[in-house]
Amino acid sequence: MKQDLRVAAYAVCVRDGQVLLARWVASDGTRRWTLPGGGMDHGEEPVRTVVREVEEETGYLAEPTALLGIDSIRRSWLRRLGAPGDFQGLRIIYEARITGGELRNETGGSTDLAAWHPLDAVAGLERVELVDIGLDLWRERPPVGRSRLADPSNG
């Protein structure tokens, strides 16, 4: 069985009652809102990852202000040749504030749109579960950095 571990860093950016989200485009073309962020490059520090990813996906310069938590996901799949695979993702979630730049959409990346959304409208958006987890961590600030929304079977 092929095992794959990936580490990524994401930002919860809230200002004036709105949260900054990026619209992720899945390989099948499905579009859902997510927190700006993404995978760490080998040797890259997580704080640098989140700063780079926010700028790539939204055009904004961001400053991480707090570590909110770490979320772990695990997925199993069948590979094209029939061999099973096992994926684990560690998602490091920061609170961040915007310090500069201008809102723009990413071109040629994993997202196609960036926008501010009222916090009370997020529940009505087509979104990935990471949005809810990130906002839960931002609101609740659990001492161990684990959202109550996290899947207990993931660890």
Side-chain angles (χ1 to χ4, degrees):
M1 174 182 301
K2 177 173 173 41
Q3 296 178 338
D4 190 19
L5 172 65
R6 297 206 181 142
V7 180
Y10 295 89
V12 176
C13 302
V14 176
R15 74 175 185 199
D16 301 326
Q18 297 187 322
V19 62
L20 179 63
L21 299 175
R23 194 170 65 180
W24 174 66
V25 181
S27 58
D28 66 0
T30 303
R31 289 170 165 77
R32 294 184 292 167
W33 292 100
T34 189
L35 297 175
M40 284 177 47
D41 293 334
H42 182 77
E44 187 176 35
E45 292 183 2
V47 168
R48 292 193 190 281
T49 299
V50 76
V51 169
R52 174 180 54 79
E53 287 284 343
V54 168
E55 185 174 11
E56 286 176 6
E57 293 182 355
T58 71
Y60 284 125
L61 302 176
E63 176 187 6
T65 57
L67 174 63
L68 296 175
I70 297 176
D71 184 57
S72 177
I73 59 169
R74 190 170 176 190
R75 306 279 191 264
S76 296
W77 75 91
L78 286 177
R79 301 185 51 164
R80 288 186 200 149
L81 301 176
D86 186 20
F87 168 81
Q88 181 179 9
L90 291 179
R91 305 183 294 189
I92 303 166
I93 304 167
Y94 293 95
E95 178 178 35
R97 67 181 186 92
I98 302 305
T99 60
E102 290 187 24
L103 183 65
R104 62 146 174 78
N105 301 326
E106 182 178 29
T107 54
S110 60
T111 66
D112 69 347
L113 191 59
W116 290 95
H117 295 273
L119 286 167
D120 59 5
V122 170
L125 297 174
E126 289 291 325
R127 65 197 184 283
V128 299
E129 75 280 356
L130 180 63
V131 172
D132 297 329
I133 290 169
L135 287 174
D136 183 60
L137 289 168
W138 176 75
R139 287 182 182 111
E140 300 298 324
R141 311 243 176 203
V144 296
R146 185 169 190 271
S147 170
R148 61 189 168 84
L149 303 177
D151 182 352
S153 67
N154 282 333

